[in-house]
Structures are given as C-alpha cells and as structure tokens.
Amino acid sequence: MKFENVLADINGFGRFQIMIIVISFIGRFTLPCHFMLNNFIAAVPSHHCDISSLDDGGIFMNLSQTERLLVTIPVQQDGTPSSCQMFQEPQYHLLVNTSHITDAHTVPCQNGWVYDNTTFKSTLTSEWDLVCDRRGKNKATATIFFVGVMFGAMAFGSLSDRYGRRIMLLVSYVSGMVFAVASAFSTSYVMFTVLRFLTGFCITGIVIVSAVLSVEWVDIEHRKIAGVIDSLSWTFGNIVFSLIAYFVNDWRRLIISVTLPLILAIFTWRWMPESARWLIANGKLEQAQMYLKKCANMNRREESIHTLKIETLSTIVTTEKRDQTYSYLDLIRTPEMRKLALRTGISWFCVATTFYGISFKITGFGLNIYLTQFTYALIELPAKLAVLCLLEKIGRRRTMVGTLLLAAICLGINIVIPKEMSVATTVVAIIGKGFSSASFTTLVLYSSELYPTVVRQNGMGYNSFMARFGVAMAPMILLLDGVWTELPQVVLCAGLSASLLPETNNVRLPETIEDVEQTRYWALMSKNHPNMRHYKHSKMYIKLYTL
C-alpha cells in the first residue's frame, strides 16, 4: 500500500492541508526579510572624509560648508568629490580656480568619515566605518550570514530526519528569533557578525522543514499548488519588507521589526502536525494514526477513519528497516542517489547564485533602492503564477531549465547595455529576476519530490547547503564589480545541469532509497517517456508501476 492511497481516502488537499500551508506561510514571512536585510542595513550612504581636523581657526573657519569641502576634498574624474581621500592641507586657491585641477598631495581619511543621513539614519557602514579600505568587511556581513545558513541547512536537514520535522521547526523559530534580536544590540563589528552567523544557522530550518512538511501532507495532484503558495510567502515577505525598510531607516530597529513576526509563528506552531510519512517511515505508527485521524476529521472524511488501522499503515514502508538511522552519507552510497545528489546540488548552486546575485544588486542602477527592491519583489508574483500553469503543462524539468536559461539571457543582455542607461538595465534585471524566481520556485518543489521520505530532509539540507554556498559567494562576486563591472554578470550565467534530472510531474513521492534505485525511474519512464508507451497495456508495465 502507498501513502498516496491513504491521502486519497482522507482528502489530500482539504482544510487540514490548508491549515499547514497557512501556518508555514506565517513562519516563512520573516525569511526573505533576513535574506535581503543587507541591502539596507549595510547600505553605503554618500560620505566624505571628516575635515574637522583641518580647521586652523583662520580662513577655514569663515568658509561655508561647500567651500570647506572644495578646498579639502579632491574631485574625481567624474566630477564627484572623493569618498576616501582628502588634501593634507587646505587648498585655498581652488576657491578661485574653477577647473579644480591641483597637484596637491592627498592622503587617506585621517579622522573618519561624515555620512549623508538623508536616506538612512544609521547603517552598519556608518556605525563602524565600513568604507574605502574596509569595504570588504561590509560585503562580508552578508557572506557570513549565508555561511551560517549554509551550515544550518546541513544541521537541520539531518536533525529533522532524525528527530522529526515538527520539533525542529520550533527550534528554528525560537533560536532564530533570539539570535536575530540579540544582533540588533551588537556593540562591535565582531559581535554582530558572530550573531548574524548564528541567526543564519538557526533560521534556515524554517525554509527546509516547512517546505517538506507541506509537500509530505499534500496529494500528487496538489503538490504544485502547495509548492507555489509556499514560494509566494517569500514574495509577500519581500514586498512588505521594502515598505518596512522605507519607514524604518535605522539598522537596529529594522532587524527587530522584521524578526518580530516569528512570535506569531511560534504561537501558531501548536497546530502544526508532524509528517505522517516520516512517522510511518520511522515506525511511529500510533502517532501517524493520530495525525491521520485528525486530518480525516478536519477534512470531513469521518467515514474513512476506520480504515486507518495500525496494520494497514505498517504495510506502507516495508522495504527498509524502520529503526535505521539515515545520514548524508546515504545520499552517495548508491548509484542513483549519487547521480541525484550531484545534479540537484549543481542546480541549486547555479539557481541560487543567479537569483541572489540579481537581488543583491539594487544599488548599481542609479535608481531609488526602495523602488528597485519593491519592483524586484513584485515581479515574482506573475512569475510564480505562471509557474503554477507551466508545471502541469510542460512539467518540472522543462519549466526550470527554460526559466533559468531566460534569466541567463537577461544577464547577458545587461552586459552589452551601456551602464549610463540605468532605466534599461533595471528593466532587464527585473525581468531576469522574475525568471530566476520562477526557476527557484520550481527547483524547491522539484527537489522535494525527487528525494525519498527517509532522507528527504537530508536531501533538502544538502541542496540548501549548495544554494547558500552560491549565495555566500554572491556578495564577494559583486565586490569584484569595482575591478571589472561585467564579471559578476558573466559568473552568474553559469550552469544548467537540471536538464539531466528525471521528470516528477504526476508521480508519487518515493518513500525509500530502494524506490529510487529499483522502481522509481521505471515508473517515471512508464508515465512520461514516449518510448515506453507500448508497455502500458502489458503485464510488465503493470508490475513495474505498482511496485
């Protein structure tokens, strides 16, 4: 017997499943806010050297602020004042020399910087002077956060397969909120980076656990809807985040503001059920029976409760030991699992690098960063609704490969567009963001369908690790923008390995590694491969497909 048969009896997409999706939606709201947080808390406002030390009490004291800057700050080739250099002595002759040409000796800023507080009241940059030769430290804050996310994905993936989805979701909620709030009270750069690492480590559990819980409770027909709705929580969070960031322009208050929704998530956690698939796969049949009965009652399928017997549930997973402990090593022990892990890992790395590479680049177009962030988020809405249709019409693999290819084309177009055409580059980048968002939405659902129940969280943890490795590299890649402007876009165009993955449209979820190794791909070919159509009426087909 298959778990899909049980779901069919008790309704695989009723009020019970909607409740799970809504609870997951609430918990996932804060994720895009933290993932995109560096766009605002680490923003670099206009700045120049602090010139107060050059006040000699004579002529300098009687100058206006504009004149003081004129005689103390050198002008760059593009006509803007230098942000990192100052004259060693005031150059008063520049007051009458309108060409601003001088051979006077310049030195790095000696007494810190003065920042323009028009847009941001306070940022990490102005708090700890992360500019000029310290610019790398500014970008590193995002990288450190995503390194935490990367290792947290591995940890929560393994722990969720060992101890259950539900409890690890709560651990992620509570620990993520504690470390995030603590980071808002950091008194030094080192303290902040450590707490941001821990925040990323803990908060990533929300991503992988909630996504898997939704997929494991929904029937085959509605898996794509559950996956897209889960992804829309990300879009909704991004849209609201741009508005929150506009009104909260202090970095400490902004961190607290985007973290507080986790309080509501913790409150609603009490209604989140454990995965019945996981419980059955681990021999906890009584608990699985309890949740399945709750599902039947809530979905008004009381007449099916009598079929939910322990003996019936015990037949669902019989090919592997229920008391066996699985780890990440099980992803590479067998041939088909090794191929699956390699292909999905490469896909997640490339898709995530593209998606976040575009998302982090909101200040390189010369437009309002709040409007750019809002538009980046808004374009995800039609992109993901289009995915909902495409997943059924052309399948997971073609949808993901096609959208990723179109995103790469947009990045390529941006290479040849002159940088002075800021509106054109922004429009192309926004379209590219939509395509990359569509590919990411597809990939999350696609991967959760490919891995068997017994190692699904390990698989998603590994994939999330690969994705966050790409994301952690994105800020550093963008840092190279100062050396060669086109290099980031060229790097982000790499990788389309998803074409090697099997199709999962309208196919049951695998429960065990044995499913993947022996029968799953036969079933896939039987349903989707044109060369296998002549088997559909044969006994061989029936035997293979019903295994």
Side-chain angles (χ1 to χ4, degrees):
M1 184 179 184
K2 300 300 179 183
F3 190 80
E4 277 70 18
N5 303 125
V6 177
L7 278 182
D9 291 338
I10 61 177
N11 189 356
F13 197 71
R15 293 192 297 175
F16 187 80
Q17 284 75 15
I18 293 173
M19 176 191 71
I20 294 173
I21 293 172
V22 170
I23 295 174
S24 296
F25 195 99
I26 294 171
R28 290 166 67 92
F29 166 80
T30 193
L31 293 173
C33 301
H34 274 280
F35 278 47
M36 297 293 109
L37 198 57
N38 260 61
N39 280 347
F40 297 98
I41 66 170
V44 182
S46 299
H47 56 280
H48 59 77
C49 298
D50 185 350
I51 57 176
S52 58
S53 61
L54 297 179
D55 189 350
D56 55 7
I59 300 175
F60 192 87
M61 183 176 62
N62 297 320
L63 298 178
S64 66
Q65 181 62 22
T66 302
E67 291 173 330
R68 291 181 181 184
L69 292 177
L70 180 63
V71 301
T72 56
I73 304 297
V75 176
Q76 301 176 113
Q77 291 183 352
D78 61 0
T80 60
S82 174
S83 299
C84 303
Q85 296 287 319
M86 61 184 289
F87 293 123
Q88 197 166 14
E89 297 291 339
Q91 305 298 304
Y92 294 114
H93 67 278
L94 291 176
L95 293 172
V96 294
N97 181 7
T98 57
S99 67
H100 304 300
I101 298 175
T102 180
D103 295 328
H105 180 62
T106 61
V107 294
C109 298
Q110 303 295 299
N111 298 289
W113 289 262
V114 175
Y115 297 90
D116 181 5
N117 295 327
T118 304
T119 304
F120 301 100
K121 181 180 178 181
S122 174
T123 67
L124 298 178
T125 307
S126 59
E127 184 85 17
W128 293 303
D129 288 335
L130 305 180
V131 293
C132 300
D133 58 339
R134 301 179 186 176
R135 179 172 171 242
K137 287 187 175 182
N138 192 2
K139 295 290 185 182
T141 56
T143 295
I144 290 170
F145 171 77
F146 283 108
V147 169
V149 172
M150 184 170 64
F151 286 104
M154 297 289 284
F156 277 94
S158 178
L159 293 172
S160 296
D161 269 338
R162 179 169 296 187
Y163 300 108
R165 284 53 161 146
R166 186 171 183 266
I167 186 63
M168 296 316 300
L169 184 61
L170 179 62
V171 170
S172 186
Y173 282 157
V174 175
S175 58
M177 184 179 69
V178 169
F179 287 122
V181 172
S183 69
F185 295 93
S186 299
T187 57
S188 68
Y189 174 80
V190 173
M191 178 181 177
F192 176 78
T193 53
V194 170
L195 289 172
R196 281 297 285 170
F197 173 87
L198 294 172
T199 301
F201 184 93
C202 296
I203 208 171
T204 189
I206 302 174
V207 185
I208 59 177
V209 175
S210 61
V212 168
L213 264 174
S214 298
V215 169
E216 290 186 337
W217 270 108
V218 174
D219 59 22
I220 294 176
E221 182 182 355
H222 295 95
R223 283 203 308 254
K224 61 181 183 297
I225 297 177
V228 172
I229 293 176
D230 257 358
S231 183
L232 284 173
S233 66
W234 194 276
T235 302
F236 177 73
N238 260 326
I239 292 173
V240 176
F241 174 55
S242 61
L243 300 176
I244 295 174
Y246 180 79
F247 291 104
V248 183
N249 56 9
D250 176 81
W251 72 270
R252 297 181 189 273
R253 292 169 54 202
L254 182 58
I255 291 177
I256 294 174
S257 298
V258 300
T259 304
L260 288 180
L262 283 177
I263 296 176
L264 179 60
I266 293 171
F267 177 76
T268 58
W269 172 84
R270 67 176 70 182
W271 293 291
M272 177 66 82
E274 180 56 271
S275 168
R277 288 180 188 269
W278 179 84
L279 290 170
I280 293 171
N282 286 272
K284 301 180 180 183
L285 303 179
E286 293 80 7
Q287 293 183 49
Q289 183 187 46
M290 176 192 70
Y291 284 116
L292 288 168
K293 285 183 177 180
K294 284 185 178 180
C295 178
N297 282 319
M298 186 172 288
N299 290 346
R300 298 177 181 176
R301 291 290 181 89
E302 292 85 356
E303 69 278 4
S304 299
I305 292 180
H306 72 278
T307 65
L308 302 173
K309 299 178 180 179
I310 298 296
E311 296 78 12
T312 304
L313 299 181
S314 65
T315 64
I316 292 178
V317 179
T318 59
T319 54
E320 293 180 8
K321 297 179 180 179
R322 289 197 178 91
D323 58 352
Q324 181 176 344
T325 300
Y326 295 91
S327 68
Y328 287 104
L329 291 177
D330 291 291
L331 301 180
I332 58 173
R333 287 189 199 279
T334 53
E336 293 299 333
M337 288 298 297
R338 277 197 296 272
K339 294 176 185 176
L340 179 60
L342 176 63
R343 292 165 182 172
T344 59
I346 294 174
S347 298
W348 276 74
F349 176 85
C350 295
V351 171
T353 305
T354 304
F355 179 84
Y356 286 99
I358 300 173
S359 300
F360 290 153
K361 196 174 177 61
I362 66 171
T363 59
F365 304 116
L367 300 179
N368 183 283
I369 64 171
Y370 299 107
L371 181 59
T372 304
Q373 176 72 30
F374 180 79
T375 311
Y376 270 0
L378 203 60
I379 193 63
E380 293 183 12
L381 189 59
K384 291 176 180 180
L385 292 178
V387 163
L388 187 58
C389 299
L390 292 173
L391 289 176
E392 182 67 29
K393 297 294 183 181
I394 65 175
R396 276 63 161 159
R397 180 174 54 193
R398 290 180 180 177
T399 299
M400 195 184 77
V401 173
T403 52
L404 188 56
L405 179 60
L406 290 170
I409 291 173
C410 290
L411 291 170
I413 292 174
N414 251 353
I415 294 176
V416 299
I417 295 179
K419 300 304 176 183
E420 295 75 22
M421 300 175 62
S422 58
V423 175
T425 55
T426 303
V427 170
V428 174
I430 288 170
I431 296 173
K433 172 68 185 301
F435 286 127
S436 66
S437 175
S439 64
F440 215 153
T441 300
T442 305
L443 185 57
V444 174
L445 172 63
Y446 196 8
S447 299
S448 64
E449 293 176 332
L450 286 166
Y451 284 90
T453 299
V454 291
V455 291
R456 184 167 293 121
Q457 284 286 188
N458 278 325
M460 294 300 285
Y462 154 73
N463 286 324
S464 186
F465 176 91
M466 293 299 296
R468 306 320 162 194
F469 179 67
V471 177
M473 294 299 101
M476 294 294 100
I477 293 172
L478 292 175
L479 188 60
L480 297 175
D481 217 346
V483 180
W484 181 27
T485 306
E486 284 74 34
L487 183 58
Q489 289 91 327
V490 173
V491 174
L492 297 177
C493 288
L496 289 173
S497 66
S499 59
L500 298 175
L501 292 171
E503 182 56 67
T504 61
N505 190 24
N506 292 322
V507 176
R508 66 175 179 82
L509 293 179
E511 304 295 347
T512 67
I513 293 175
E514 189 177 77
D515 284 343
V516 173
E517 294 298 324
Q518 294 185 10
T519 67
R520 178 164 172 73
Y521 291 102
W522 276 104
L524 282 168
M525 291 180 70
S526 298
K527 295 195 70 179
N528 298 293
H529 201 288
N531 293 335
M532 297 298 291
R533 289 174 182 168
H534 62 279
Y535 284 111
K536 284 191 173 182
H537 302 292
S538 68
K539 293 181 180 180
M540 180 184 294
Y541 170 83
I542 295 171
K543 181 179 180 180
L544 286 170
Y545 184 66
T546 55
L547 276 175

